[in-house]
C-alpha cells in the first residue's frame, strides 16, 4: 500500500462520512417537515437520498477495503450483487437529477400552471421510469456476468476483463449505457437550467429597470442607499448564475472523468494508470456527498427545518439536565433532613449493672 493508496483511502473514508451524515440529515428533514413532504420535488430528493445512502453503505466501503487490502473484497457472488447496485444506483441518481431539473424548469417558466402540470402522480411516474431504466441496464450486466471486481477502480462494478468473450456486445452495452444515462442527463441539465437562467435574468432586468427608475425619481436619496441598491442588483444577477453553475458544474466535474475513463478503457489496448481510475471513481462517489448540499440543505426550507430540529434537541437536553439537577438537589435536601432522625440516642444502662 503506497502513499497514493493511503491518500485515496482517506479520501474515500471522508466521502463516506460526509455522504452518510448529510443524506441522513436530508432524510430526517423530509420525515419531520410536512411542508417538504407536500412538495413534488421532495419525492425526487427522497429518491436521490435513498440512492446516495445505499451507495454509501454498499459500494463505498468495499472500495475502501479494496484499497486497504489491495485485493478482492468478498466472494464473487457478493461482488456481483454490489456491482449490480453500483450500476443501478448511479443510473438512478443521474436520471433523478434530470427529473429535478425538468421540475425546476416548469416551476420557473410556467409558475402559474406549475401545480396543474407537475403533480405527485407525475413525479411517481417519472420515478417509476428511472427505476425501470436503471433495472434494465443493471440486470442485463449482471445476467451477462459483466460485473465483478475491477482493479482499475478498486471496486465491484462493470468489468471489461470478465466481458472479454463478449467483445463488441460489451462495448455497445457500455456506450449505450453512458449515452442514455450520463449524456442524456447532461443534455437535460444544460437545456433546462440554461432556460431557467434565461428567465431569471429577464426578471432581474425588469427589476433593475424598476429600481433605476425609482432611483432617478428619488433625487434626495443618500448616495450610500443608491450604491446599496446597485450592489443588490449585481448580487441578484450573480446569485442566479452561481446556482445554475453549481447544478451543472458538480455533475460534470464528478461524473465526466469516470465516464471518459470507461470509454477510453474500451478503445485503448494499453493499461490505464490505476491511480487515475481510483481518482475518477472517488469523484463519482463525491457526487453522493455533494447532492444533499446542492439540492437540499442550502435551501431555505431545509435550513429552517434543521434549525427547528437543532433547537428542539438543545431545549430537550437543557430541560433534561435542569430536571436532573433539580432532582439531585431534592435528594440531597431529603438526605440532609432525614439524617438526624436516623441517629438513635444511646440507651442508658441501669445503675445496678
Amino acid at each position: 500500500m503506497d502513499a497514493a493508496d493511503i491518500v485515496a483511502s482517506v479520501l474515500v473514508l471522508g466521502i463516506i462520512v460526509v455522504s452518510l451524515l448529510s443524506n441522513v440529515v436530508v432524510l430526517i428533514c423530509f420525515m419531520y417537515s410536512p411542508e417538504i413532504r407536500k412538495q413534488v420535488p421532495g419525492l425526487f430528493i427522497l429518491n436521490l437520498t435513498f440512492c446516495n445512502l445505499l451507495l454509501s453503505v454498499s459500494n463505498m466501503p468495499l472500495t475502501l477495503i479494496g484499497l486497504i487490502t489491495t485485493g478482492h473484497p468478498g466472494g464473487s457472488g457478493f461482488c456481483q450483487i454490489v456491482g449490480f447496485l453500483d450500476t443501478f444506483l448511479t443510473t438512478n441518481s443521474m436520471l433523478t437529477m434530470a427529473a429535478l431539473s425538468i421540475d425546476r424548469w416548469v416551476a420557473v417558466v410556467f409558475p402559474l400552471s406549475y401545480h396543474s402540470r407537475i403533480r405527485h402522480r407525475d413525479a411517481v411516474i417519472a420515478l417509476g421510469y428511472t427505476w425501470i431504466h436503471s433495472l434494465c441496464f443493471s440486470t442485463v450486466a449482471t445476467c451477462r456476468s459483466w460485473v465483478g471486481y475491477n482493479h482499475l477502480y478498486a471496486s465491484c462494478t462493470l468489468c471489461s476483463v470478465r466481458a472479454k468473450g463478449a467483445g463488441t456486445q460489451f462495448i455497445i452495452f457500455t456506450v449505450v449505457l453512458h449515452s442514455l444515462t450520463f449524456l442524456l442527463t447532461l443534455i437535460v441539465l444544460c437545456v433546462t437550467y440554461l432556460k431557467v437562467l434565461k428567465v431569471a435574468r429577464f426578471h432581474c432586468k425588469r427589476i433593475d429597470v424598476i429600481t433605476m427608475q425609482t432611483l432617478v425619481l428619488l433625487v434626495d436619496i443618500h448616495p450610500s442607499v443608491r450604491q446599496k441598491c446597485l450592489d443588490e442588483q449585481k448580487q441578484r444577477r450573480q446569485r442566479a448564475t452561481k446556482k445554475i453553475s453549481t447544478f451543472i458544474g458538480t455533475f460534470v466535474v464528478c461524473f465526466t472523468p469516470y465516464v471518459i475513463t470507461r470509454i477510453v478503457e474500451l478503445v485503448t489496448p494499453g493499461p490505464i494508470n490505476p491511480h487515475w481510475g481510483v481518482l475518477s471513481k472517488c469523484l463519482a462517489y463525491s457526487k453522493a456527498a455533494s447532492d444533499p448540499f446542492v439540492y437540499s440543505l442550502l435551501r431555505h426550507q431545509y435550513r429552517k427545518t434543521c434549525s427547528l430540529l437543532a433547537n428542539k434537541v438543545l431545549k430537550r437536553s437543557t430541560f433534561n439536565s435542569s430536571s436532573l439537577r433539580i432532582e439531585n438537589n431534592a435528594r440531597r435536601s431529603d438526605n440532609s433532613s432525614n439524617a438526624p432522625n436516623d441517629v438513635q440516642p444511646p440507651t442508658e444502662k441501669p445503675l445496678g449493672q
Side-chain angles (χ1 to χ4, degrees), residues 270-319:
I272 300 176
N273 190 338
H275 297 317
W276 169 253
V278 172
L279 178 61
S280 65
K281 191 65 176 177
C282 290
L283 286 173
Y285 283 155
S286 66
K287 194 68 173 72
S290 63
D291 282 342
F293 301 98
V294 173
Y295 291 102
S296 306
L297 296 179
L298 296 181
R299 293 176 57 191
H300 173 71
Q301 292 174 336
Y302 284 87
R303 286 186 298 173
K304 180 182 176 182
T305 305
C306 289
S307 62
L308 289 174
L309 287 171
N311 292 333
K312 190 174 182 179
V313 171
L314 291 175
K315 285 181 180 179
R316 182 175 296 178
S317 60
T318 305
F319 175 77

Side-chain angles (χ1 to χ4, degrees), residues 203-255:
H203 289 303
C204 286
K205 287 182 180 179
R206 292 182 61 185
I207 296 174
D208 293 345
V209 170
I210 295 173
T211 304
M212 293 303 298
Q213 291 176 350
T214 306
L215 292 176
V216 170
L217 293 175
L218 298 174
V219 181
D220 298 333
I221 191 172
H222 196 273
S224 62
V225 178
R226 184 188 300 271
Q227 186 61 38
K228 185 178 179 181
C229 293
L230 296 176
D231 292 339
E232 287 180 355
Q233 289 181 5
K234 185 178 179 180
Q235 291 177 2
R236 192 162 42 243
R237 290 191 296 267
Q238 292 177 348
R239 196 180 302 121
T241 306
K242 286 180 180 179
K243 286 184 178 180
I244 301 304
S245 302
T246 302
F247 290 138
I248 301 176
T250 53
F251 182 85
V252 172
V253 171
C254 292
F255 285 122

Side-chain angles (χ1 to χ4, degrees), residues 47-48 51-52 88-101 130 134 177-178 180-186 188-189 251 254-256 258-259 284 287 291 295:
N47 188 67
L48 186 61
C51 294
N52 291 337
F88 171 76
L89 296 174
T90 305
T91 305
N92 199 342
S93 62
M94 286 187 186
L95 296 176
T96 304
M97 295 173 207
L100 272 169
S101 68
T130 63
S134 306
L177 169 65
H178 294 303
L180 294 180
T181 54
F182 171 78
L183 187 60
L184 175 64
T185 303
L186 181 60
V188 172
L189 289 177
F251 182 85
C254 292
F255 285 122
T256 302
Y258 179 69
V259 174
K287 194 68 173 72
D291 282 342
Y295 291 102

